[in-house]
Amino acid sequence: MGYDYNGNRRKQKQKTVKPPAGLTKRQCEKWLEEQAVLFEMECKNASQPVKKDITLEKYITHAFDKNKKAASETLQQGLEI
Protein backbone atom coordinates (compact mmCIF):
# COMPACT_ATOMS: atom_id res chain seq x y z
CA MET A 1 0.00 0.00 0.00
CA GLY A 2 2.79 2.45 0.79
CA TYR A 3 2.78 5.82 2.50
CA ASP A 4 1.08 9.15 1.80
CA TYR A 5 2.91 12.47 1.40
CA ASN A 6 2.79 13.08 5.17
CA GLY A 7 4.61 9.82 5.88
CA ASN A 8 1.53 8.05 7.24
CA ARG A 9 0.79 4.50 6.14
CA ARG A 10 -2.09 4.34 3.68
CA LYS A 11 -5.15 2.33 4.59
CA GLN A 12 -5.84 -0.92 2.81
CA LYS A 13 -8.59 -0.89 0.24
CA GLN A 14 -10.92 -3.64 -0.75
CA LYS A 15 -13.76 -4.02 -3.17
CA THR A 16 -16.54 -6.58 -3.41
CA VAL A 17 -17.72 -7.54 -6.87
CA LYS A 18 -20.36 -9.99 -8.05
CA PRO A 19 -19.97 -11.54 -11.49
CA PRO A 20 -22.87 -11.18 -13.91
CA ALA A 21 -25.32 -14.05 -14.04
CA GLY A 22 -25.08 -16.56 -16.85
CA LEU A 23 -21.30 -16.86 -17.01
CA THR A 24 -19.57 -20.22 -17.11
CA LYS A 25 -17.03 -21.05 -14.42
CA ARG A 26 -14.11 -20.18 -16.71
CA GLN A 27 -15.76 -16.93 -17.85
CA CYS A 28 -16.43 -16.03 -14.23
CA GLU A 29 -12.77 -16.61 -13.28
CA LYS A 30 -11.60 -14.51 -16.21
CA TRP A 31 -14.03 -11.71 -15.33
CA LEU A 32 -12.85 -11.72 -11.71
CA GLU A 33 -9.19 -11.57 -12.81
CA GLU A 34 -9.99 -8.56 -15.01
CA GLN A 35 -11.78 -6.85 -12.12
CA ALA A 36 -8.79 -7.49 -9.86
CA VAL A 37 -6.42 -5.92 -12.40
CA LEU A 38 -8.71 -2.92 -12.86
CA PHE A 39 -8.99 -2.43 -9.09
CA GLU A 40 -5.21 -2.65 -8.68
CA MET A 41 -4.70 -0.06 -11.41
CA GLU A 42 -7.31 2.17 -9.79
CA CYS A 43 -5.50 1.98 -6.44
CA LYS A 44 -2.08 2.68 -7.94
CA ASN A 45 -3.31 5.63 -9.99
CA ALA A 46 -5.35 7.17 -7.19
CA SER A 47 -4.22 10.70 -6.52
CA GLN A 48 -3.18 11.88 -3.11
CA PRO A 49 -6.03 13.17 -0.96
CA VAL A 50 -6.40 16.92 -1.26
CA LYS A 51 -6.12 18.95 1.90
CA LYS A 52 -8.87 21.51 1.54
CA ASP A 53 -7.85 23.44 4.64
CA ILE A 54 -4.41 24.38 3.28
CA THR A 55 -3.92 27.95 2.16
CA LEU A 56 -2.08 29.03 -0.96
CA GLU A 57 0.66 30.54 1.18
CA LYS A 58 1.25 27.23 3.01
CA TYR A 59 1.18 25.31 -0.28
CA ILE A 60 3.74 27.64 -1.89
CA THR A 61 6.01 27.35 1.15
CA HIS A 62 5.71 23.54 1.08
CA ALA A 63 6.37 23.34 -2.67
CA PHE A 64 9.32 25.75 -2.42
CA ASP A 65 10.92 23.79 0.41
CA LYS A 66 10.41 20.52 -1.45
CA ASN A 67 11.97 21.90 -4.64
CA LYS A 68 14.80 23.56 -2.71
CA LYS A 69 15.70 20.21 -1.13
CA ALA A 70 15.62 18.43 -4.51
CA ALA A 71 17.77 21.17 -6.08
CA SER A 72 20.38 20.98 -3.32
CA GLU A 73 20.55 17.18 -3.67
CA THR A 74 21.03 17.51 -7.43
CA LEU A 75 23.75 20.11 -6.93
CA GLN A 76 25.48 17.88 -4.38
CA GLN A 77 25.40 14.93 -6.79
CA GLY A 78 26.87 17.14 -9.51
CA LEU A 79 29.73 18.21 -7.25
CA GLU A 80 30.56 14.60 -6.38
CA ILE A 81 31.16 13.67 -10.01
Side-chain angles (χ1 to χ4, degrees):
M1 295 267 51
Y3 296 86
D4 65 7
Y5 63 92
N6 289 326
N8 299 324
R9 188 152 182 89
R10 290 170 100 216
K11 294 181 181 177
Q12 291 186 353
K13 296 182 181 181
Q14 62 183 7
K15 182 178 182 178
T16 303
V17 295
K18 294 183 180 180
L23 295 179
T24 65
K25 184 175 179 179
R26 177 67 185 134
Q27 288 174 330
C28 183
E29 289 173 0
K30 187 174 181 180
W31 185 84
L32 289 172
E33 288 174 10
E34 289 175 4
Q35 294 302 310
V37 169
L38 291 174
F39 179 67
E40 187 174 337
M41 288 172 45
E42 180 183 319
C43 290
K44 286 183 180 179
N45 293 333
S47 61
Q48 296 289 338
V50 177
K51 285 186 168 184
K52 295 186 179 187
D53 62 339
I54 192 169
T55 63
L56 180 60
E57 180 183 6
K58 288 181 184 178
Y59 175 77
I60 291 172
T61 304
H62 172 73
F64 180 74
D65 291 342
K66 186 176 179 181
N67 289 336
K68 185 177 179 182
K69 180 181 175 187
S72 67
E73 289 173 358
T74 303
L75 177 62
Q76 186 63 32
Q77 290 174 353
L79 294 175
E80 290 175 358
I81 295 177

